[in-house]
Amino acid sequence: MPGRLSDPGADTIVPISLESRQPVVLSLRHGVSAPVFRVYISWSRGSLLHVACLRPPSLEPDGAGDDEEEGGKVVEVRLGTGDGGISEAQMRRIAYGSVPPFVELQSWKNSLASLSMMSSSSFRTEKWQYILEYSRKVNELLKTHQIPPDNVIEDPRIIVKLLKETSSLRAAWELMEIFFIDKQSLSWLPERLVDWLEEYDSLVTRTDLTVYSKLVAMQKKLVDFKVIEDNPDYWEAVSSALAVGWLDTVAKLLRLHGSYQLDQLDDRETENGLVEAVAVLILTMPRLCPDLSSEKIGQCYDTKPDFIKAWEKWRGQVSKLERSAYWVQCSHHQTREGLQKLLKILLGNISNLTSATCHWMELLISHLLYTRPFIMGLEGLNNLAQKCQQLKPTAEYNGLMSLLMGILQESPEAVLAECSRTYGPWMVAHGTELLAAGSDYADIQLHEERYNLGSISIEELHWLVYAQVLSSHPLTWQIASTYLAQCPKQGLGLLEFLLYKQPLQHHQGIFKNLDLSRSYDLDNISASIMKIAGMHHWKHGRKGFGIYWLQLARDEVRLNRIAQQLFEFIGRSLSDDSFQQWEGLIELLGTRVGSSGGLEFLHKYRDLKRLLKQVEDGRAVNAARLAAESLVQLMKSPSTPQQFWLPLLYDSVSLLNWKAQPLLRVSETNLLLNKLQDLSMAKMCPGFVDSNLPSHALSSVRLALAKNLGRAILEEC
Amino acid sequence: MAEYGDILHRLPQSKSVDAVRWLSSVSAFDRFVASAVHDPDAALPAAASAIEIHSLILAPSADSSSREHPCLHLRSSWPSSSRISALRSSPTPYKHLAVAASTLSGSLHVLFVDPVDGSIESELSIPNDRSLHAGVVSAIDLLEGGRECVTVGEDGRVNLASIGESRMDYRRVYDSRGLASYTAVRWASPVEFATGGLGFGVQWWDPRKPGGFVSQFTSNWAQGKTTGIVHSIDIHPSRKHICMVGGSAGTVFAWDLRYPQQPILLSGAGGPELLSDIDEVWQVQYDSHTLSSSVNSATSAKLLPVMMCSEEGILAVLEQECYILAANLPHGYRLGYALGASQMIEAMGSDDFSLGLDDYESRTTSHTPVYLLRVTGEEPKRLLQEYCAINSFDIDPQNPSDVVCALEWEAVGILMRPKAGNYASSFGRLPPSFH
């Protein structure tokens, strides 16, 4: 490959993993017959690629057989779905679940920023509580679903629980929680790490042996063992489990020892006593833990002085047993050897610890347990970890372990890089909160505005990246808005873009989109969404829906334009009997919400029709008077289309001929006559739409107007 | 964040859940839920949408708490060529359950589900050749007994499909040629139904009468202050003249056919502001589990409690405000009535009352100023406040305390409310044979 560096470790900033995958070859079945003239490739949503294969344009468009040949085809290609660790659906579930804790934390922070009481001590403790709560909620979310155990009765032969696809993501999150958030419990850091390893030992390496894998292998063989204590594997398993502090596993294993069986043949009293003594010592091992929960084996102490006192006393007991004379009397060779090895581990014999553990992380834990239980500070821990790595070097790259080293080296840059490399955008976007809480230095690093990033902070950058990932999936794009809204610099711009780009075919989707744009006060976006929706519906023949949206968007220009089309569509169908068809649409135009542009005419026209109907029925003079007023209004209004002038007047002939009194004044009648004049002028112009009225319509209107004029003049004299 | 001791169980589905429905079962132990799902990541577009029939099983909880934890077990699945737009269900006289579904591309499907094992026995379809609807079928409703299904669409068509045992035919009731769009529909009786559409318009139809709808609820009742779209209608079988309507702008109102000019507002549109005015009420359904607060004094006019779900993730039970009419009667004594709004309108006709108390709210109607005292503005009983939208829900007709809902974040929610006293059933949905 050109441009590849010969030594990737030397001068690259971001390490390139050497085991970079071979290029993947996908075969496309596009079905376009050769020759393919052009291929266009473009990204669709997420990891979807659109590949358009085109044939050369046919020179003879009417050539034979052109029907069978397609001009080209667009094929969708789905590229690889992640690294198999967490499925996409599961990742989406995590994405949904992490929205509430994220929002809660951010809204608390925002409310605090407005109060500006950053320095007070009550703030600091409150801050810890909030971040701890956030971390706990996210941690809870990363739990894989536990299936309740099938058998209630515990099998004594099950010594280790088989872990069901423990998530590496959760292991990483817990590591960050232990080091960055749980500040108060720093003194019981060793114990927390022991617990952590117990849960996630299978994840520290993918290729090498671990204590966990050893125990799993041992459990499989357990059934075949007749006399368990004769087997060196058994003793190795016990000492390994002890070295990493899995005391309950040790207890279970020791209970399988022959000395606990009732039907013993030989005289094994001394041996039994020794096994029991070691077991008791292991069970009473002092431990420094915050919660003195009963589940934990060993004696728990929550204050350091108590713990030190007990620790010294316990060590004394262990070494006393080691020097005891009973060992000579123990006739069973393997038991003697094995038990003594266990005591050496308890006493912190380095060579024993090294041989009992597999991975350097396990060695580190064994040191924390048996040689340096009082270790304080990350620096000391880091030195110890490096020593362990030298003793048990590993060639394999492991994201989790690199993350741990980054944390121990107190390098937020390394932590961030590992999070992003191994765990992806979700982890970075949410983990920055923990990282920032870890140290002031990290906090500044994350929140400082950087010129080279376009004046945004690293934190904002990662939120933006994560929001991009979310918006690339049709089911998660809506939660992208939550993250974009938190980005002070570029969030809103991208949010506008995101909302603007959403498909608007179905009204549910439009409403969801509008709901978001309104809740972020993006009025111009909601207006354009409504305009787009309006035009979409209009073009697809859903005239009512189209007008509804355009009205809400107050889009006078488009409403006026479509009004012309609508009037042509109406033609004369707006006669009395087919009125009902228009009812729904016209009702819509009567609302004062939004504007109706030129369409307002329809509403007024309908009202006039109704009044005329009442007049015909011979009802009240009032109706006639109102109808006349409305007629004049309509004829005056510039929004009344020309082609409706004559039908309007023809419909109102009965008004003009009203017997009791002239309903129109002289000036009004003149206006109508002028309009009629205009109309006959317009007839000459091209593009004139003739109304399909009977031929005598014009003359009868003229006559009626003239009559009315005469009467009105007499009246007004 | 369920209150009142209600527990919501979220059951992740790993695909979008567009609609959910209970299927009434024959045994008390097996309960079925039908869900319309959509998976945009499916390898083939044809496999992207489906109707799934799940059985609901109450498993003992993993921790020691005494509560049971519901699980859904997939019994059968039916692939749909297009995304489902509406889902309805009903028992039928032929021993199986009917599930009707319409799609965004304009087809209608009826599945017959075995009530014992939840398998799909047969299927009837009207294809999407633009004959039934051109484009989206926005809403359907299945008549109790599953004999007839009414469909409405954005294209402005209203169709009636009659469902036989082996064939399905339809007839066009009305076609507005796109001038109006219909977005909700609900049967009121075996022969009448109500539709909803743009501008909060509600239409009442009787297909036996020629022409279009029988009556229409004018859309500018809110004095042009607000407008929106009807998303859902429910009609209680014992009160056929009242349409309960939910729509845009957080609006829930009841339209009483007897007083067509005056809607009874439960929320939004100038009425009580119970929901945000940018919220969308996706569905309304009468809640037979919640007892009306004034059950003893309840007059027939008072609206029954109604449950609604919304875009902003609210599942709540709304009740009509209780008004007291303060009237100075001719004999000189003052009387307070607890009345429903429609009775209020009846009482309004008599001129001999005037305001007797200080704290009042005035409402002007066409003729007479009416003074209403809002005594107990019922707080809505919020059952859920989710972070994501609740797209759809259904109250189990057989166990009205249980609600199933479709959460936007790819999950089915099962809400189990504590079972109430016996008299709750007096407001329950009547059995099919009753009407």
PDB file of all heavy atoms in Angstrom, chain A residues 174-183 186 189 192-193 378 381 404 407-408 434 438:
ATOM      1  N   GLU A 174     -16.581   1.039  34.152  1.00  0.00           N
ATOM      2  CA  GLU A 174     -16.354   0.848  35.590  1.00  0.00           C
ATOM      3  C   GLU A 174     -14.954   1.271  35.992  1.00  0.00           C
ATOM      4  O   GLU A 174     -14.750   1.825  37.061  1.00  0.00           O
ATOM      5  CB  GLU A 174     -16.612  -0.611  35.973  1.00  0.00           C
ATOM      6  CG  GLU A 174     -18.063  -0.818  36.296  1.00  0.00           C
ATOM      7  CD  GLU A 174     -18.356  -2.150  36.940  1.00  0.00           C
ATOM      8  OE1 GLU A 174     -17.414  -2.817  37.411  1.00  0.00           O
ATOM      9  OE2 GLU A 174     -19.527  -2.515  36.953  1.00  0.00           O
ATOM     10  N   LEU A 175     -14.007   0.982  35.112  1.00  0.00           N
ATOM     11  CA  LEU A 175     -12.632   1.419  35.405  1.00  0.00           C
ATOM     12  C   LEU A 175     -12.584   2.931  35.578  1.00  0.00           C
ATOM     13  O   LEU A 175     -12.001   3.447  36.528  1.00  0.00           O
ATOM     14  CB  LEU A 175     -11.702   1.037  34.249  1.00  0.00           C
ATOM     15  CG  LEU A 175     -10.891  -0.229  34.355  1.00  0.00           C
ATOM     16  CD1 LEU A 175      -9.872  -0.276  33.234  1.00  0.00           C
ATOM     17  CD2 LEU A 175     -10.167  -0.319  35.692  1.00  0.00           C
ATOM     18  N   MET A 176     -13.231   3.630  34.654  1.00  0.00           N
ATOM     19  CA  MET A 176     -13.221   5.087  34.731  1.00  0.00           C
ATOM     20  C   MET A 176     -13.959   5.556  35.966  1.00  0.00           C
ATOM     21  O   MET A 176     -13.568   6.519  36.609  1.00  0.00           O
ATOM     22  CB  MET A 176     -13.854   5.679  33.476  1.00  0.00           C
ATOM     23  CG  MET A 176     -13.154   5.175  32.253  1.00  0.00           C
ATOM     24  SD  MET A 176     -12.988   6.158  30.801  1.00  0.00           S
ATOM     25  CE  MET A 176     -14.023   7.482  30.811  1.00  0.00           C
ATOM     26  N   GLU A 177     -15.024   4.866  36.302  1.00  0.00           N
ATOM     27  CA  GLU A 177     -15.778   5.237  37.495  1.00  0.00           C
ATOM     28  C   GLU A 177     -14.921   5.062  38.739  1.00  0.00           C
ATOM     29  O   GLU A 177     -14.888   5.917  39.619  1.00  0.00           O
ATOM     30  CB  GLU A 177     -17.041   4.382  37.578  1.00  0.00           C
ATOM     31  CG  GLU A 177     -17.993   4.795  38.665  1.00  0.00           C
ATOM     32  CD  GLU A 177     -19.229   3.911  38.710  1.00  0.00           C
ATOM     33  OE1 GLU A 177     -19.992   3.933  37.739  1.00  0.00           O
ATOM     34  OE2 GLU A 177     -19.413   3.193  39.707  1.00  0.00           O
ATOM     35  N   ILE A 178     -14.193   3.941  38.811  1.00  0.00           N
ATOM     36  CA  ILE A 178     -13.366   3.662  39.985  1.00  0.00           C
ATOM     37  C   ILE A 178     -12.317   4.754  40.162  1.00  0.00           C
ATOM     38  O   ILE A 178     -12.104   5.281  41.249  1.00  0.00           O
ATOM     39  CB  ILE A 178     -12.680   2.283  39.844  1.00  0.00           C
ATOM     40  CG1 ILE A 178     -13.714   1.165  39.946  1.00  0.00           C
ATOM     41  CG2 ILE A 178     -11.590   2.107  40.888  1.00  0.00           C
ATOM     42  CD1 ILE A 178     -13.178  -0.205  39.573  1.00  0.00           C
ATOM     43  N   PHE A 179     -11.664   5.123  39.075  1.00  0.00           N
ATOM     44  CA  PHE A 179     -10.534   6.037  39.212  1.00  0.00           C
ATOM     45  C   PHE A 179     -10.946   7.510  39.217  1.00  0.00           C
ATOM     46  O   PHE A 179     -10.301   8.322  39.854  1.00  0.00           O
ATOM     47  CB  PHE A 179      -9.520   5.792  38.091  1.00  0.00           C
ATOM     48  CG  PHE A 179      -8.691   4.573  38.329  1.00  0.00           C
ATOM     49  CD1 PHE A 179      -8.985   3.387  37.693  1.00  0.00           C
ATOM     50  CD2 PHE A 179      -7.622   4.608  39.223  1.00  0.00           C
ATOM     51  CE1 PHE A 179      -8.228   2.247  37.926  1.00  0.00           C
ATOM     52  CE2 PHE A 179      -6.862   3.473  39.451  1.00  0.00           C
ATOM     53  CZ  PHE A 179      -7.169   2.284  38.802  1.00  0.00           C
ATOM     54  N   PHE A 180     -11.991   7.864  38.475  1.00  0.00           N
ATOM     55  CA  PHE A 180     -12.285   9.288  38.338  1.00  0.00           C
ATOM     56  C   PHE A 180     -13.387   9.775  39.262  1.00  0.00           C
ATOM     57  O   PHE A 180     -13.404  10.927  39.652  1.00  0.00           O
ATOM     58  CB  PHE A 180     -12.691   9.610  36.895  1.00  0.00           C
ATOM     59  CG  PHE A 180     -11.598   9.365  35.892  1.00  0.00           C
ATOM     60  CD1 PHE A 180     -11.879   8.845  34.641  1.00  0.00           C
ATOM     61  CD2 PHE A 180     -10.279   9.668  36.214  1.00  0.00           C
ATOM     62  CE1 PHE A 180     -10.866   8.626  33.728  1.00  0.00           C
ATOM     63  CE2 PHE A 180      -9.269   9.441  35.298  1.00  0.00           C
ATOM     64  CZ  PHE A 180      -9.553   8.914  34.055  1.00  0.00           C
ATOM     65  N   ILE A 181     -14.333   8.908  39.563  1.00  0.00           N
ATOM     66  CA  ILE A 181     -15.509   9.397  40.265  1.00  0.00           C
ATOM     67  C   ILE A 181     -15.488   9.029  41.733  1.00  0.00           C
ATOM     68  O   ILE A 181     -15.767   9.849  42.599  1.00  0.00           O
ATOM     69  CB  ILE A 181     -16.795   8.813  39.634  1.00  0.00           C
ATOM     70  CG1 ILE A 181     -16.839   9.113  38.153  1.00  0.00           C
ATOM     71  CG2 ILE A 181     -18.019   9.350  40.325  1.00  0.00           C
ATOM     72  CD1 ILE A 181     -17.035  10.551  37.831  1.00  0.00           C
ATOM     73  N   ASP A 182     -15.137   7.802  42.021  1.00  0.00           N
ATOM     74  CA  ASP A 182     -15.227   7.328  43.398  1.00  0.00           C
ATOM     75  C   ASP A 182     -14.074   7.840  44.238  1.00  0.00           C
ATOM     76  O   ASP A 182     -13.368   7.070  44.863  1.00  0.00           O
ATOM     77  CB  ASP A 182     -15.261   5.795  43.414  1.00  0.00           C
ATOM     78  CG  ASP A 182     -16.654   5.318  43.727  1.00  0.00           C
ATOM     79  OD1 ASP A 182     -17.518   6.170  43.949  1.00  0.00           O
ATOM     80  OD2 ASP A 182     -16.867   4.099  43.757  1.00  0.00           O
ATOM     81  N   LYS A 183     -13.918   9.136  44.274  1.00  0.00           N
ATOM     82  CA  LYS A 183     -12.782   9.748  44.956  1.00  0.00           C
ATOM     83  C   LYS A 183     -12.768   9.384  46.452  1.00  0.00           C
ATOM     84  O   LYS A 183     -11.720   9.136  47.037  1.00  0.00           O
ATOM     85  CB  LYS A 183     -12.836  11.274  44.808  1.00  0.00           C
ATOM     86  CG  LYS A 183     -12.268  11.741  43.491  1.00  0.00           C
ATOM     87  CD  LYS A 183     -10.755  11.770  43.536  1.00  0.00           C
ATOM     88  CE  LYS A 183     -10.125  11.623  42.193  1.00  0.00           C
ATOM     89  NZ  LYS A 183     -10.001  12.830  41.434  1.00  0.00           N
ATOM     90  N   LEU A 186     -11.017   6.169  47.590  1.00  0.00           N
ATOM     91  CA  LEU A 186      -9.694   5.912  47.039  1.00  0.00           C
ATOM     92  C   LEU A 186      -8.893   4.975  47.934  1.00  0.00           C
ATOM     93  O   LEU A 186      -8.046   4.211  47.451  1.00  0.00           O
ATOM     94  CB  LEU A 186      -8.946   7.234  46.862  1.00  0.00           C
ATOM     95  CG  LEU A 186      -7.915   7.208  45.750  1.00  0.00           C
ATOM     96  CD1 LEU A 186      -8.563   6.942  44.421  1.00  0.00           C
ATOM     97  CD2 LEU A 186      -7.159   8.514  45.704  1.00  0.00           C
ATOM     98  N   LEU A 189      -9.372   1.479  46.996  1.00  0.00           N
ATOM     99  CA  LEU A 189      -9.129   1.220  45.578  1.00  0.00           C
ATOM    100  C   LEU A 189      -8.672  -0.211  45.291  1.00  0.00           C
ATOM    101  O   LEU A 189      -9.201  -0.863  44.381  1.00  0.00           O
ATOM    102  CB  LEU A 189      -8.102   2.236  45.069  1.00  0.00           C
ATOM    103  CG  LEU A 189      -7.801   2.193  43.592  1.00  0.00           C
ATOM    104  CD1 LEU A 189      -8.968   2.753  42.799  1.00  0.00           C
ATOM    105  CD2 LEU A 189      -6.550   2.995  43.272  1.00  0.00           C
ATOM    106  N   ARG A 192     -11.579  -2.521  45.242  1.00  0.00           N
ATOM    107  CA  ARG A 192     -12.459  -2.304  44.093  1.00  0.00           C
ATOM    108  C   ARG A 192     -11.861  -2.912  42.828  1.00  0.00           C
ATOM    109  O   ARG A 192     -12.579  -3.449  41.990  1.00  0.00           O
ATOM    110  CB  ARG A 192     -12.728  -0.811  43.889  1.00  0.00           C
ATOM    111  CG  ARG A 192     -13.586  -0.216  44.982  1.00  0.00           C
ATOM    112  CD  ARG A 192     -14.550   0.804  44.456  1.00  0.00           C
ATOM    113  NE  ARG A 192     -15.313   0.335  43.306  1.00  0.00           N
ATOM    114  CZ  ARG A 192     -16.151   1.100  42.629  1.00  0.00           C
ATOM    115  NH1 ARG A 192     -16.321   2.345  42.989  1.00  0.00           N
ATOM    116  NH2 ARG A 192     -16.805   0.617  41.596  1.00  0.00           N
ATOM    117  N   LEU A 193     -10.543  -2.822  42.739  1.00  0.00           N
ATOM    118  CA  LEU A 193      -9.898  -3.423  41.575  1.00  0.00           C
ATOM    119  C   LEU A 193     -10.006  -4.946  41.604  1.00  0.00           C
ATOM    120  O   LEU A 193     -10.162  -5.589  40.570  1.00  0.00           O
ATOM    121  CB  LEU A 193      -8.439  -2.992  41.494  1.00  0.00           C
ATOM    122  CG  LEU A 193      -8.211  -1.569  40.968  1.00  0.00           C
ATOM    123  CD1 LEU A 193      -6.745  -1.215  41.013  1.00  0.00           C
ATOM    124  CD2 LEU A 193      -8.739  -1.430  39.547  1.00  0.00           C
ATOM    125  N   LEU A 378      -1.866   7.205  42.539  1.00  0.00           N
ATOM    126  CA  LEU A 378      -1.779   6.583  41.232  1.00  0.00           C
ATOM    127  C   LEU A 378      -0.336   6.339  40.806  1.00  0.00           C
ATOM    128  O   LEU A 378      -0.057   5.406  40.062  1.00  0.00           O
ATOM    129  CB  LEU A 378      -2.466   7.465  40.198  1.00  0.00           C
ATOM    130  CG  LEU A 378      -3.986   7.493  40.265  1.00  0.00           C
ATOM    131  CD1 LEU A 378      -4.537   8.411  39.217  1.00  0.00           C
ATOM    132  CD2 LEU A 378      -4.546   6.094  40.090  1.00  0.00           C
ATOM    133  N   LEU A 381       0.858   3.087  42.055  1.00  0.00           N
ATOM    134  CA  LEU A 381       0.149   2.033  41.344  1.00  0.00           C
ATOM    135  C   LEU A 381       0.712   1.875  39.932  1.00  0.00           C
ATOM    136  O   LEU A 381       0.879   0.756  39.428  1.00  0.00           O
ATOM    137  CB  LEU A 381      -1.334   2.411  41.289  1.00  0.00           C
ATOM    138  CG  LEU A 381      -2.350   1.290  41.154  1.00  0.00           C
ATOM    139  CD1 LEU A 381      -2.178   0.269  42.250  1.00  0.00           C
ATOM    140  CD2 LEU A 381      -3.752   1.868  41.187  1.00  0.00           C
ATOM    141  N   LEU A 404      -6.518   1.328  30.945  1.00  0.00           N
ATOM    142  CA  LEU A 404      -6.049   1.295  32.331  1.00  0.00           C
ATOM    143  C   LEU A 404      -4.696   1.984  32.460  1.00  0.00           C
ATOM    144  O   LEU A 404      -4.468   2.776  33.383  1.00  0.00           O
ATOM    145  CB  LEU A 404      -5.965  -0.155  32.815  1.00  0.00           C
ATOM    146  CG  LEU A 404      -5.459  -0.338  34.245  1.00  0.00           C
ATOM    147  CD1 LEU A 404      -6.434   0.282  35.234  1.00  0.00           C
ATOM    148  CD2 LEU A 404      -5.256  -1.800  34.579  1.00  0.00           C
ATOM    149  N   ILE A 407      -5.062   5.656  32.343  1.00  0.00           N
ATOM    150  CA  ILE A 407      -5.579   6.199  33.599  1.00  0.00           C
ATOM    151  C   ILE A 407      -4.459   6.269  34.629  1.00  0.00           C
ATOM    152  O   ILE A 407      -4.281   7.279  35.318  1.00  0.00           O
ATOM    153  CB  ILE A 407      -6.740   5.327  34.119  1.00  0.00           C
ATOM    154  CG1 ILE A 407      -7.940   5.427  33.178  1.00  0.00           C
ATOM    155  CG2 ILE A 407      -7.127   5.725  35.520  1.00  0.00           C
ATOM    156  CD1 ILE A 407      -9.040   4.436  33.456  1.00  0.00           C
ATOM    157  N   LEU A 408      -3.681   5.178  34.735  1.00  0.00           N
ATOM    158  CA  LEU A 408      -2.628   5.138  35.745  1.00  0.00           C
ATOM    159  C   LEU A 408      -1.550   6.190  35.461  1.00  0.00           C
ATOM    160  O   LEU A 408      -0.973   6.743  36.387  1.00  0.00           O
ATOM    161  CB  LEU A 408      -2.001   3.743  35.789  1.00  0.00           C
ATOM    162  CG  LEU A 408      -2.909   2.632  36.302  1.00  0.00           C
ATOM    163  CD1 LEU A 408      -2.183   1.299  36.308  1.00  0.00           C
ATOM    164  CD2 LEU A 408      -3.429   2.934  37.696  1.00  0.00           C
ATOM    165  N   LEU A 434     -16.822  11.827  33.021  1.00  0.00           N
ATOM    166  CA  LEU A 434     -16.059  11.187  34.086  1.00  0.00           C
ATOM    167  C   LEU A 434     -14.627  11.707  34.076  1.00  0.00           C
ATOM    168  O   LEU A 434     -14.045  11.990  35.117  1.00  0.00           O
ATOM    169  CB  LEU A 434     -16.044   9.673  33.903  1.00  0.00           C
ATOM    170  CG  LEU A 434     -17.378   8.968  33.782  1.00  0.00           C
ATOM    171  CD1 LEU A 434     -17.173   7.470  33.817  1.00  0.00           C
ATOM    172  CD2 LEU A 434     -18.314   9.382  34.878  1.00  0.00           C
ATOM    173  N   GLY A 438     -12.338  13.796  36.866  1.00  0.00           N
ATOM    174  CA  GLY A 438     -11.160  13.169  37.447  1.00  0.00           C
ATOM    175  C   GLY A 438     -10.089  14.148  37.892  1.00  0.00           C
ATOM    176  O   GLY A 438      -9.546  14.025  38.974  1.00  0.00           O
TER     177      GLY A 438
END
